[in-house]
Amino acid sequence: MSTATIQPDAYCVFGNPIAHSKSPAIHAAFAGQTGEAIVYERRLAPLDGFALAARGFAAEGGKGANVTVPFKLDACALATELTPRAKAAGAVNTLRFDGEEILGDNTDGAGLVADILRNAGVAIRGKRVLLLGAGGAARGVVLPLLQEQPQELFVANRTVATAAKLLEQFQQAGAGDIALRAGGFEQPEGVFDIVINATSASLAGDLPPVPATVFGSHTLALDMMYGAAPTVFMEFAAQQGAQVRDGLGMLVEQAAEAFFVWRGVRPATQDLLALLRGAL
């Protein structure tokens, strides 16, 4: 009596460049932990050929894909259905293929929130939150942050109009008792409980020009970037007495959320996060 071999479902991550991606290692660990039969690879898509590459992968039998820079807007356009958080973000980092249907989701904000709540052990409800930047990275996290019911969300950006426009859609949707504010980097006043750097300043070794007074001894300062050494933002915040955190936890948690979108199983993350931290 022969036993049929179960063919693993195929997933991938699209990007350009893509060789640096940690996603294959992360999802291989999740598969091993949960017993889900999947294979996962990196795929380099041409800058002008994302839709063709994604449709080609689906035609090969691919079940889903992660999407990284610079294709999150292309993935949003490709999707036939968007989750509420993907609509709010205006960008997609997770695709699920189901016949002709392509579900587009954005797990970045859920990953950030999970990292703050579970890994950092910091509550968001009733707190003052300062979000630095109003670009794609910031757009993806506003709705999940608001769903945690902070007291205030202040979006600070170099161009104030961009920050104001970002918050406008949430004001129209009704943010309840949450105070939504937009302003320049130098405008936030008083100490914030959570300060999130969603700008790309850390990539260039720069610092958003925020007042040192936004940080206090109880502040969690989180930079979405990560590396072997603390970012300039993290060093500045630590000098003011803040607890600092980089974006590695967010990376692992958004991957776990994508895995849940695909498989309906939520993997544990803490051991893997410690392993990746040690390998930086």
Side-chain angles (χ1 to χ4, degrees):
M1 183 176 162
S2 65
T3 50
T5 306
I6 298 173
Q7 286 299 317
D9 291 332
Y11 297 88
C12 75
V13 56
F14 285 108
N16 189 331
I18 197 60
H20 65 286
S21 175
K22 289 181 165 47
S23 293
I26 292 172
H27 285 284
F30 288 162
Q33 177 201 128
T34 59
E36 292 290 307
I38 75 163
V39 290
Y40 189 107
E41 63 179 318
R42 298 181 187 89
R43 290 224 172 177
L44 180 71
L47 291 176
D48 60 351
F50 169 77
L52 198 62
R55 288 187 188 281
F57 180 68
E60 292 168 23
K63 298 292 186 183
N66 288 130
V67 183
T68 187
V69 176
F71 298 124
K72 292 185 181 184
L73 297 181
D74 298 279
C76 192
L78 179 69
T80 60
E81 181 189 350
L82 295 173
T83 63
R85 58 194 182 188
K87 275 182 193 163
V92 160
N93 77 339
T94 302
L95 293 170
R96 190 176 71 205
F97 305 121
D98 183 16
E100 293 299 307
E101 299 298 310
I102 302 174
L103 177 72
D105 200 355
N106 190 308
T107 66
D108 285 333
L112 175 74
V113 166
D115 187 51
I116 292 171
L117 297 180
R118 287 205 292 266
N119 300 328
V122 172
I124 299 172
R125 183 178 295 276
K127 301 296 182 68
R128 297 189 78 209
V129 179
L130 173 59
L131 181 62
L132 306 177
R139 287 187 67 89
V141 303
V142 171
L143 181 62
L145 282 171
L146 292 179
Q147 287 171 334
E148 291 300 316
Q149 295 291 304
Q151 174 193 326
E152 174 186 354
L153 178 63
F154 193 120
V155 178
N157 195 51
R158 199 173 304 282
T159 309
V160 178
T162 308
K165 189 177 178 186
L166 174 57
L167 288 180
E168 205 172 275
Q169 61 177 300
F170 299 101
Q171 280 162 334
Q172 288 169 349
D177 297 329
I178 303 168
L180 300 181
R181 296 191 172 91
F185 283 129
E186 62 292 328
Q187 284 182 269
E189 293 180 344
V191 176
F192 285 78
D193 300 290
I194 301 169
V195 181
I196 300 161
N197 184 16
T199 74
S200 57
S202 294
L203 288 175
D206 292 334
L207 184 71
V210 291
T213 49
V214 303
F215 302 102
S217 58
H218 70 278
T219 303
L220 172 66
L222 188 149
D223 198 325
M224 287 191 184
M225 304 298 168
Y226 67 89
T231 65
V232 176
F233 169 80
M234 290 167 66
E235 287 177 337
F236 179 70
Q239 285 163 11
Q240 320 311 319
Q243 172 193 347
V244 296
R245 189 167 186 83
D246 69 8
L248 188 64
M250 176 183 172
L251 173 76
V252 174
E253 294 294 346
Q254 66 80 23
E257 185 72 13
F259 195 89
F260 179 74
V261 169
W262 294 328
R263 311 300 295 183
V265 178
R266 196 177 297 282
T269 55
Q270 289 194 316
D271 288 349
L272 176 60
L273 182 52
L275 196 69
L276 289 173
R277 174 76 60 205
L280 284 180

